[in-house]
Amino acid sequence: MIIKTFIEPPIENNNYLIIDEESKEAALIDCSAYDENILIELKRQGAKLKYILLTHGHFDHIGGLNDLAKDVEVLMHSGDKEWIEQVNDYLPMIGMPSMEIPKIDRYIEDNEIIKVGNLEIKVIHTPGHTQGGVCFYIDGHLFSGDTIFRESVGRCDLPGGNFSQIVESIENKIFILPEDTVIYPGHGKTTTVSWEKEHNSYF
């Protein structure tokens, strides 16, 4: 598996390009902005983008969908449907222009397995930052969106946020993963399950 990180505006979101080396099928986890470098990397690897997988529906994770998702299926948990539909209610508050409402092709569920070539991507529903927040687990690698960061957790003060819920999600769904699981968050540096158990001040 090839993992490439693209740090995107507006607030330095981590978008992750996942490529199955054998089949050359790929998935992009979150799509904050249109970035030609993603297309360049796909071409360099001889890979085809099959899915865009959204960890949640906040505006800073979906900004590039209308440009990058023309021939690609976009998958998200239905719990964040309202965030997509109401994105233009929030963009002016942060000084960003309105956007065409992105299309979600299919809603995914907890424990669902998404196949990308030979890769099996497990959906882990982790509500708390939003009600539809999910993480994606691939063979020792967890793409956590804004559920957990290095030594921190996602904010819970926006609509749909719930602090006790995010703590429960992390304790019961992330901290049960193998200690050496690498966590790739939606913002900031990578970490591991073992590091967060020892150093995350929220636990």
Side-chain angles (χ1 to χ4, degrees):
M1 176 172 62
I2 298 169
I3 302 172
K4 297 289 183 180
T5 305
F6 298 86
I7 301 175
E8 307 293 359
I11 47 176
E12 297 192 320
N13 292 73
N14 294 325
N15 293 183
Y16 299 101
L17 182 64
I18 312 301
I19 302 173
D20 175 48
E21 293 184 76
E22 187 173 336
S23 69
K24 298 299 183 181
E25 285 190 349
L28 181 66
I29 297 177
D30 287 334
C31 188
S32 302
Y34 176 74
D35 187 343
E36 286 188 355
N37 291 311
I38 295 172
L39 303 178
I40 291 169
E41 183 63 26
L42 285 165
K43 185 175 181 180
R44 191 177 75 83
Q45 298 286 348
K48 180 175 176 57
L49 190 61
K50 183 177 183 181
Y51 295 122
I52 294 177
L53 308 176
L54 299 178
T55 60
H56 61 294
H58 280 168
F59 71 90
D60 56 321
H61 293 256
I62 67 170
L65 285 178
N66 291 329
D67 294 310
L68 275 175
K70 288 180 170 53
D71 299 309
V72 181
E73 276 195 86
V74 179
L75 279 54
M76 187 188 77
H77 192 279
S78 61
D80 276 8
K81 184 178 179 182
E82 287 188 10
W83 273 105
I84 298 291
E85 294 174 343
Q86 298 173 12
V87 62
N88 289 318
D89 294 342
Y90 296 95
L91 289 175
M93 298 179 187
I94 55 169
M96 292 182 64
S98 61
M99 63 185 292
E100 181 181 345
I101 304 299
K103 181 170 68 77
I104 305 301
D105 295 289
R106 184 161 66 83
Y107 293 107
I108 51 179
E109 300 295 335
D110 191 32
N111 294 317
E112 182 175 337
I113 301 296
I114 301 165
K115 296 275 289 184
V116 176
N118 297 310
L119 301 178
E120 293 191 346
I121 305 175
K122 182 179 180 179
V123 178
I124 303 175
H125 184 212
T126 53
H129 179 61
T130 66
Q131 288 305 296
V134 301
C135 299
F136 296 105
Y137 181 75
I138 316 170
D139 191 26
H141 305 269
L142 184 78
F143 299 87
S144 66
D146 289 3
T147 297
I148 189 169
F149 307 119
R150 184 177 177 88
E151 301 178 14
S152 187
V153 302
R155 61 185 296 182
C156 301
D157 59 332
L158 297 172
N162 184 307
F163 180 73
S164 61
Q165 206 175 32
I166 203 171
V167 169
E168 182 179 353
S169 290
I170 293 168
E171 288 183 333
N172 296 336
K173 294 192 172 183
I174 293 178
F175 283 177
I176 65 169
L177 296 172
E179 297 276 313
D180 60 352
T181 298
V182 180
I183 297 173
Y184 299 80
H187 305 267
K189 297 179 180 179
T190 59
T191 184
T192 64
V193 166
S194 61
W195 183 270
E196 295 313 305
K197 283 182 175 180
E198 184 175 352
H199 298 282
N200 196 310
S201 61
Y202 289 92
F203 300 95

